[in-house]
Amino acid sequence: MTAARAVRSSSYMHWAKTQQAARFNLATSGLGNLSLRDLRVSLDDLELTFGGYGYEPLKQALAARYRVDPHSIVTGAGTSFANHLAIAALIKPGDEVLFEEPAYEPMLSTALYLGADVKRFQRQFDDGFRVNAEEIDRLVTQQTRLIVLTNLHNPTGVLTDESTLTQIGKTAERVGARVLVNEVYLETLFEETPRTSFHLGKQFVVTSSLTKAFGLSGLRCGWIFAEPELAKEMWLLNDLFGVTQVHAGERLSVIALGQIQEIAAHAKALMDRNRKLLNSFLDTRDDLETVRPPFGTVMFPRLRSGESSERLCRLLREKYETTVVPGSFFERPAHFRVGVAGNTDEMETGLERLGRALDEVH
Ligand SMILES: Cc1ncc(COP(=O)(O)O)c(C=O)c1O
């Protein structure tokens, strides 16, 4: 595996910031960004400076929504920073970390950057990209400090159910490890969202944010749930990182949480509509095979030919002004990731262009 500290950047994030934008963008994995105007907010609601260890009204709002003790909540800049802070607090350089594959590269790269000795457990296409708790149980050692997964899974959108998570929790407990579950996509199940896995035992640490389901990436409202002692360690460690939060952002996050039902209703309707479009498209393509979850914001089709999707993605971008995410960013080059949370008209035309590009590469 890659040597400690060999990783100092994220190839996916760089691609997302420089190459993803297109006239027909099917590469996004979250609801399109809301604008400040979408939140009913006035300047008088905002303030610049607070300091301290997290803004109490924000911790209270998250505590109420997720039924979590406020002492178990650490806030930070998006799931991304929550992941960084959580992993930094949970491992030392050289510690063994068991990480899902395929994985969301920036989170994996963060673990490598922090010096993790990363081992992998597989989520197989033929097994519906399910997490295999027995495999995790076989792979852990007395040296394993952390087991990491995303739920829903990025890039496939597959849900891991509570009984599987409970089994993984038992494995972790047996060797004295923790389970870090990135739940940023879980909320895209909306009214069917299961409770956070934080409730499954003290070995669980959860990260999430308002980014994916609610189009609120710009708020950078992320959080960690961890047992209170660990949460305190994370707050103290953050004194070496971000130190304090952007207070106007904390205030806006409280306001957004107060309006979250309305935002969710709009988001769910859009994703349901777009998922139907994607499913109809996939029904017409015998050159693709896809695990198709009934929820979430992404799917991860595979070229039946087994070829890399790189040529398809390039053609799609250069000739058809349409982007999907190349599977190589998720360690599965024959796949590509398509999102269903964008604008519906854009999705319709983008899928039609994807079809033309697929016809052309065969
Ligand atoms: C699994 C996963 N975690 C975290 C993020 C980033 O989320 P945030 O905007 O909350 O930092 C993403 C975004 O693509 C993601 O897919």
Side-chain angles (χ1 to χ4, degrees), residues 12-13 16 20 27-30 76-83 100 103-107 149-155 182-185 207-212 216-218 220-223 297-298 330 337:
Y12 168 72
M13 204 47 86
Q20 177 185 294
T28 56
S29 60
T79 318
S80 305
F81 184 71
N83 289 334
E100 68 184 3
Y104 174 62
E105 179 272 324
M107 193 179 184
L149 64 140
T150 51
N151 194 27
L152 309 179
H153 183 215
N154 186 5
N182 176 339
E183 293 183 351
V184 72
Y185 293 99
T207 53
S208 192
S209 75
L210 296 181
T211 291
K212 298 295 173 184
L216 291 168
S217 166
R220 308 313 292 140
C221 177
W223 58 86
T297 57
V298 288
F330 299 97
R337 198 192 68 186

Side-chain angles (χ1 to χ4, degrees), residues 273-290:
R273 198 163 61 233
N274 289 358
R275 195 175 306 104
K276 242 183 229 156
L277 284 178
L278 179 57
N279 274 316
S280 305
F281 171 81
L282 293 171
D283 288 343
T284 67
R285 301 301 319 187
D286 55 13
D287 47 358
L288 297 177
E289 41 191 359
T290 312

Side-chain angles (χ1 to χ4, degrees), residues 49-208:
T49 314
F50 171 69
Y53 290 102
Y55 181 50
E56 204 53 41
L58 178 56
K59 288 195 280 184
Q60 291 296 342
L62 292 169
R65 180 168 173 79
Y66 299 99
R67 298 188 168 80
V68 169
D69 174 359
H71 295 102
S72 284
I73 300 175
V74 182
T75 55
T79 318
S80 305
F81 184 71
N83 289 334
H84 191 121
L85 182 57
I87 298 171
L90 289 166
I91 65 160
K92 313 184 291 319
D95 278 353
E96 189 174 289
V97 173
L98 199 49
F99 216 108
E100 68 184 3
E101 180 181 334
Y104 174 62
E105 179 272 324
M107 193 179 184
L108 175 62
S109 290
T110 298
L112 290 166
Y113 168 74
L114 290 167
D117 175 13
V118 173
K119 306 240 160 77
R120 312 301 294 277
F121 63 93
Q122 299 299 315
R123 300 174 67 130
Q124 308 278 7
F125 180 94
D126 293 340
D127 196 21
F129 287 113
R130 187 178 75 86
V131 171
N132 181 338
E134 288 80 34
E135 188 198 351
I136 293 177
D137 197 60
R138 272 196 308 279
L139 289 174
V140 289
T141 70
Q142 289 301 325
Q143 278 67 52
T144 308
R145 297 274 58 84
L146 188 62
I147 300 165
V148 185
L149 64 140
T150 51
N151 194 27
L152 309 179
H153 183 215
N154 186 5
T156 68
V158 166
L159 173 73
T160 300
D161 62 26
E162 207 168 286
S163 73
T164 306
L165 288 163
T166 303
Q167 238 181 306
I168 297 167
K170 285 195 181 126
T171 296
E173 201 173 14
R174 177 165 66 73
V175 296
R178 305 263 183 181
V179 186
L180 176 58
V181 188
N182 176 339
E183 293 183 351
V184 72
Y185 293 99
L186 196 58
E187 209 118 18
T188 61
L189 270 79
F190 297 104
E191 61 267 29
E192 289 165 55
T193 300
R195 64 181 173 161
T196 166
S197 59
F198 178 65
H199 294 300
L200 301 180
K202 65 182 173 49
Q203 58 279 33
F204 282 88
V205 176
V206 164
T207 53
S208 192

